[in-house]
Amino acid sequence: MVRSGEEPKPAGRATDGTGPARLRERFLQGEQVDAGVRTSILNSWQRCRSLGLSPDTSDLPYREDFDPGGRIVRAAVPVLDRLQDAFSGSQVNISVADANGTVLLRRFGDPAMARSLPAIQRVPGFVFAEQVAGTNGIGLALAERQLIHVYGAEHFAERSQGSACVAMPVRDPLSGRIEGVLCFGYPRGFEQPALSAAIRRAAENIERRLLGQSSAHERALLRTYLSTGDEGGLHHGVALDALADVVHPRDQAILREKAAELISRGQRAAVEVTLPDGRRVTLVSRPMASASGVRGFAIEAVLPGAAVGEALILPHQADELPDLAAFSTAPGPARPPIPLPSGQLTAAFGPTVAPGGDRGSAETGGTVTADGGRGGDRGPTGIDGTVRADGGTVTADGGGGAADGGRTSADGGTVTADGVRSVTDAGRDPADGGRGAADDRAGSPFPARGLVMVGEPHVGAYALAARRRLELLSEASARIGTTLDVRRTAEELAETAVPRLADFVTIDLPDAVLRGEESADPLADLRRTVLHGVREGLPFTPPGKRIDFGPTAPQLRCLTRGEAVLEPDLKAAAGWLAQDPEHTARLLDHVHSLIAVPLLARGVVLGIASFYRTGSSFGDDDRSLAQELATRAALSIDNARRYTHERTMVLALQRRLLPHGLPDQDAVEVAHRYLPAESDVGGDWYDVIPLSGTRVGLLVGDVVGHGMLSAATMGRLRTAARSFAELDFSPDEVLTHLDNLVGRLDREDPDGKGAGVIGATCLYAVYDPTAQRCLMARAGHPPPALVHPDGTVSYPDLPAGPPLGLGGLPFDAVEIDVPEGSQLVLYTDGLIEDRHRDVDVVLEQLRAALAHPERAPEDTCQAVLDTVAPAHPHDDIALLVARVHALDPGRIAAWELPADPALVGEVRASAMRRLSDWGLDETAFAAELILSELITNAVRHGTGPIRVRLLYGRTLICEVSDASNTAPHLRRAASTDEGGRGLFLVAQLSQSWGTRYLPEGKVIWAECGLDAA
């Protein structure tokens, strides 16, 4: 028999190398053993290994300060005594441990075991918690919080390989808290199905005895409930825990919460509770008074679905509860006998009576004697179902039958020491409403009704208030701190407290905290940040205004003390009235009580929270609750402040690493935008790079991830990309170099791990205004948008390419025509990718937003952000819009000549005439020398044909190209050298010069300023 949630498993052998033993050895050697081991056992093994436990350790911690007379011990001693009788002569070791795993009691079926076992298995005081003893019954029952079995090699420690055990937590029925663990240890071959039922029934009896110890008043009320069957018609129900097989723990908690509320009301009632699974349970609240005058209420649960049979006996006030008349119970098949170990008495486990009750009725069919024969039609049995050899009943809670010294009542029942009667073989218990014991059979699908709670109204009210406070704290954990925004976190604190704790809440934070910084003087820059209440219109200082508290104000005192300050009656709070008599007088017409709490976290003063009530006064419990709420909120506010501070630094770094201004050039008219993500700053960037030959490079990239690392990596990649571009590499070559750089950054991570593999995407386009063509390549980046002069928008079919950092894969460049007046739109994925939107739909929205070629690039940027960008971007957005222009053909001059030195002078003369036509006579001298040197070098060292081109834009550009891939190098010629000075003259006469490689050959270019003499 296995409780819900526990997987059945045969006992494993520890010596033959099979089953759990073999799997355990594999686990200890670090192998994977997911299959063949129960989940609870495997999880326990893993916890043991993570704690560094050794299976060879034989010593356990011993506590000399354990309490040998605590609640759990007092409740368990009688039960263990009866269990010892039931297992007499067997090798069963019975123990009870506290909630920390310290063994408090031990009993042995065979007394000789106490002499043969090691001290840790026979002496109380040793700790069997999982974190010190490894996988074992007591430790695992505490960890799993349910009935568990541990067989042989499933134990983590070597010392326990030859045994098995079954253990079950024991809970306080009122609080639900685990008070201890009941454990049966035995040899592996001793396994019996009855053990699970026996330990469950014994644990329930211990729990009933714990309930009986809860308080003198509750015991009196409980005894009254059990003994007023003839007078009040109260039914001898069963504890709600006995319904565990049909009532989910979550449902039990719901019923207990509602029962506490009914008790706190102090009224007779019948309330129908709908459980999450749709079932309806009726809770009946019945008033009662003990002989000593204690007045209280008993809450019973009436469960639907029982078969039709003898009707329940309802109280005298049944006419007031007509909806309960339909509920009834019916007998079911008798529970079969459960065999106990060889040589022991056979037991039939009967039904329990009530929480704290000391008797149970006999099952129909009588009892089974030690020799297997059947007794009379009604044999006396105890709650644990065992039969004593002397014919008396043996109860697991310590009550004895008539043969054991119990008193016999006039109706033939036995009376225990506390006066509670149980049914005998002679008849029925009057306290059961005149019904026979067969009405509540253990074989029924589930009991028809059960006692949920007994208590006094004022105690119930305290319990209900405490529960609601716990619920509020639980809700606060879920509601406060859902964002990393300081202001929103403060609002969540106020929304959580109103109206369940306060009617109005104000929160004042320093300006520095709102900026993400620490405030040097919190009182000097306090600002009203949040005002939230049950209604509006009260004369509180509105949000956004500066707040100045007087020196005696409760808010100032709470900062001085570092703890909450309670003012139950503001009319008597002189310090509060003195700070602003006019304002506070108006406020007193609406509020009555105040709790001022400092918002402190990690030694930093973050502000002040003020809780106001309009009616009843706050109490000390309210102050503690407000302090707890404020403490939790302060941690969340501090997290938000730290995040704001870090985000501000990262954003400052990001903006510092982005271009501050765009370079002067004539090829494109550019506008750009950078929009950081709401949650964190990423690594998006853009750049505009002037290139030789009046060309311009347009670059957009995105580094994977967010935060400081991404921003720093972005800066490195942008610098490298600009350097590669200025070397006049083609777009595919630039991406190849960047790919190598990203791979090298990953390999150079100092610890080999870092915050994740560095990756990035990039799009690089080079526009040539002389040919009105654009060469572009991308590395895993979204394609650009091309807006034609007629308003049509297209997305060029550009090979995607792998993201940067993968390495080993080539990039392909594509050249497209870009007519003058067209717009190239480059962007990062934050613009179009959003989990709430389809990318294709967003691209159509972008197409519609761009279909206005008459717009200036600045207007286009703004329109795209307004209509396409997400309202709350989760990723950075970088946007670059470039309207292209063509270079006037009249400002381009070109010549082609073979590799003949005689033609150099002719080309030079033609160039001078063109410069004169352009009005560049002042630049002609420098251009003539430059052309002479470049053309001569091409004739002497290159191969034909040779082409010469002059470009007149912001500067004069002289270009000489040939079919050779050999590039000249600037060097310092020695005094004896006849040559080697030409490039030196070119470098001196020009602003800049360089080499640009073509698919076939190269171009040597030099740029002259137009003011050159």
Side-chain angles (χ1 to χ4, degrees), residues 37 286 383 398 733 910:
V37 182
R286 306 179 186 274
I383 288 178
E733 290 179 301
S910 298

Side-chain angles (χ1 to χ4, degrees), residues 221 258-271 284-288 295-299 455-462 464:
L221 291 172
K258 192 64 178 178
E261 183 177 345
L262 288 175
I263 291 176
S264 67
R265 290 179 182 176
Q267 297 176 352
R268 181 185 292 109
V271 178
V284 182
S285 172
R286 306 179 186 274
M288 51 194 300
R295 297 184 178 273
F297 283 81
I299 310 297
E456 300 172 89
H458 70 278
V459 175
Y462 286 134
L464 184 62

Side-chain angles (χ1 to χ4, degrees), residues 469-509:
R469 286 188 175 94
L470 290 175
E471 290 173 351
L472 181 58
L473 290 176
S474 176
E475 181 181 339
S477 299
R479 292 188 59 181
I480 300 176
T482 59
T483 69
L484 288 172
D485 180 81
V486 174
R487 194 181 304 274
R488 178 57 194 152
T489 304
E491 291 173 352
E492 290 169 345
L493 168 60
E495 292 168 359
T496 302
V498 175
R500 297 171 67 178
L501 173 62
D503 297 315
F504 296 92
V505 174
T506 63
I507 299 178
D508 309 312
L509 303 178

Side-chain angles (χ1 to χ4, degrees), residues 342-549:
S342 175
Q344 301 304 305
L345 299 177
T346 305
F349 285 74
T352 58
V353 179
D358 293 335
R359 291 292 172 216
S361 57
E363 287 194 316
T364 303
T367 61
V368 182
T369 61
D371 59 0
R374 184 174 295 277
D377 291 341
R378 297 284 185 179
T381 63
I383 288 178
D384 64 353
T386 61
V387 183
R388 288 172 54 104
D390 59 7
T393 60
V394 179
T395 61
D397 59 2
D404 195 28
R407 296 180 289 113
T408 304
S409 64
D411 59 3
T414 60
V415 182
T416 61
D418 59 3
V420 180
R421 291 171 295 175
S422 67
V423 179
T424 68
D425 59 340
R428 297 175 297 179
D429 188 359
D432 199 22
R435 297 183 300 139
D439 292 335
D440 278 340
R441 304 188 179 217
S444 299
F446 49 83
R449 66 193 301 166
L451 176 66
V452 180
M453 193 173 291
V454 173
E456 300 172 89
H458 70 278
V459 175
Y462 286 134
L464 184 62
R467 182 185 295 275
R468 288 177 174 171
R469 286 188 175 94
L470 290 175
E471 290 173 351
L472 181 58
L473 290 176
S474 176
E475 181 181 339
S477 299
R479 292 188 59 181
I480 300 176
T482 59
T483 69
L484 288 172
D485 180 81
V486 174
R487 194 181 304 274
R488 178 57 194 152
T489 304
E491 291 173 352
E492 290 169 345
L493 168 60
E495 292 168 359
T496 302
V498 175
R500 297 171 67 178
L501 173 62
D503 297 315
F504 296 92
V505 174
T506 63
I507 299 178
D508 309 312
L509 303 178
D511 287 333
V513 171
L514 294 172
R515 296 193 303 266
E517 304 169 2
E518 292 186 14
S519 178
D521 186 3
L523 292 177
D525 60 347
L526 272 180
R527 190 173 298 277
R528 177 61 45 86
T529 306
V530 175
L531 169 59
H532 183 70
V534 293
R535 64 181 185 272
E536 299 180 354
L538 269 67
F540 286 103
T541 302
K545 297 292 185 179
R546 291 292 300 273
I547 297 292
D548 294 316
F549 292 112

